[in-house]
Amino acid sequence: MVTGDHPNTAVAIGKSVGIMDIETDPISVTMAGLPSGEMPSAVVNGEDLEQMTPDILDDILLHSHELIFARMKPEQKLQIVESCQRLGAVVTVTGDGINDAAAIRRADVGIAMGGGAAYTTKCADIILLDDNFSSIVSGIEEGRLMYDNLKKCLLYALSSNVPEIAAFLLSMVAQIPLPLGILAILCIDLGTDLLPAISLAFEEAEENLMKRQPRNPETDHLLNEKLLFLSYGQLGLIQAASGFFTYFVIMAENGFWPDRLLGIRNEWDSRAIN
């Protein structure tokens, strides 16, 4: 929590909204008494922050579980945002006053109140028209749901590529009659792929949706190695195996055992013979 209020006021507000444990007395961090090790709760005054180097600020951010910055100037709020970003965090800043504009503009996601200063709302990425912080939680939940459903749609849509390609490859290599024709593939792609994939976009949220850790924007992309392996390496191979099993069973029921199918594609396609 970063505020321009007095430290005692900031701590009281932090405890009332659950940012700080109500039974814990926070440690006042100053240049004269920098604690070593982990700090359960801490308060940093703006006057003390002016004397701290960026490395000390980074160390405080890393080793504090509950942290409140009080009596902060606009440039100090910006300094805290830059320090968090330097440590690899994705920073979101909320505010409504003109003194929050620089930090909101520098943050990865800037959120301004709808009734705040006009310049601050121009710097923000998101504006809360109802001035309610719970709307941020609702927005995060909706974004996570959309991300999950997009991954489900991609997983389902990509998995059918493996059996379709495998059917053509085996037909060319083993010279067996073509298992899937052009019209059959069009029916699969337009009929059994399109509508179910659209329905996956309207899936309801999983129970643990808001309990997950934030994803890493550097490694956890929408289309990543895990999704491709699951789609092509597992689901696709299962579909291909099921399709070929059905193909060989139906052909065997009509008198064409697997050993007879090898190398007969030219005769099968010949109008003079078949």
Side-chain angles (χ1 to χ4, degrees):
M1 175 178 172
V2 183
T3 178
D5 295 333
H6 189 274
N8 293 337
T9 306
V11 170
I13 295 174
K15 288 184 176 182
S16 66
V17 299
I19 295 176
M20 187 168 284
D21 188 359
I22 195 170
E23 298 180 355
T24 303
D25 292 327
I27 302 171
S28 181
V29 181
T30 62
M31 282 298 296
L34 283 174
S36 60
E38 298 295 323
M39 293 181 289
S41 299
V43 177
V44 181
N45 198 313
E47 295 178 357
D48 297 315
L49 184 62
E50 290 180 349
Q51 304 173 13
M52 297 179 184
T53 63
D55 292 336
I56 295 177
L57 177 58
D58 293 350
D59 190 63
I60 293 173
L61 290 169
L62 284 174
H63 296 93
S64 301
H65 299 284
E66 299 171 351
L67 185 57
I68 290 179
F69 292 93
R71 289 296 190 192
M72 290 292 130
K73 300 176 182 178
E75 59 270 19
Q76 290 175 325
K77 295 180 180 181
L78 178 61
Q79 180 184 353
I80 294 170
V81 171
E82 292 175 342
S83 182
C84 291
Q85 291 175 331
R86 189 165 56 249
L87 293 172
V90 177
V91 183
T92 300
V93 176
T94 62
D96 59 354
I98 191 67
N99 57 338
D100 300 318
I104 288 176
R105 188 178 185 87
R106 184 68 177 84
D108 297 290
V109 181
I111 302 177
M113 304 297 132
Y119 180 72
T120 305
T121 57
K122 291 181 180 179
C123 296
D125 302 298
I126 301 172
I127 301 174
L128 296 180
L129 297 178
D130 56 357
D131 291 349
N132 190 349
F133 278 0
S134 62
S135 300
I136 301 175
V137 181
S138 301
I140 293 173
E141 183 177 8
E142 189 67 24
R144 289 189 176 190
L145 176 60
M146 291 174 61
Y147 183 83
D148 274 6
N149 289 348
L150 279 174
K151 289 184 79 75
K152 292 176 183 177
C153 292
L154 284 173
L155 179 65
Y156 179 81
L158 293 175
S159 61
S160 63
N161 292 338
V162 174
E164 292 173 357
I165 295 173
F168 278 95
L169 290 178
L170 189 62
S171 177
M172 291 187 296
V173 173
Q175 290 296 302
I176 63 174
L178 188 62
L180 283 176
I182 303 299
L183 291 178
I185 290 180
L186 285 176
C187 290
I188 292 172
D189 289 342
L190 298 178
T192 64
D193 269 7
L194 191 60
L195 293 178
I198 293 174
S199 68
L200 287 174
F202 297 94
E203 280 278 298
E204 294 184 357
E206 305 288 342
E207 292 183 358
N208 64 339
L209 183 67
M210 294 300 289
K211 296 179 181 179
R212 303 175 193 167
Q213 291 293 328
R215 67 182 182 89
N216 189 335
E218 300 294 332
T219 58
D220 192 5
H221 301 295
L222 186 63
L223 189 63
N224 54 19
E225 295 178 357
K226 183 179 179 181
L227 186 141
L228 290 175
F229 175 76
L230 183 61
S231 179
Y232 290 146
Q234 294 187 23
L235 298 179
L237 293 180
I238 292 172
Q239 292 180 18
S242 302
F244 280 121
F245 175 78
T246 305
Y247 169 78
F248 285 117
V249 167
I250 292 177
M251 296 297 279
E253 288 178 348
N254 288 274
F256 292 93
W257 292 91
D259 56 340
R260 288 192 58 195
L261 291 174
L262 299 177
I264 66 168
R265 180 180 176 183
N266 291 332
E267 290 81 0
W268 187 277
D269 294 337
S270 175
R271 294 183 179 272
I273 300 174
N274 188 9

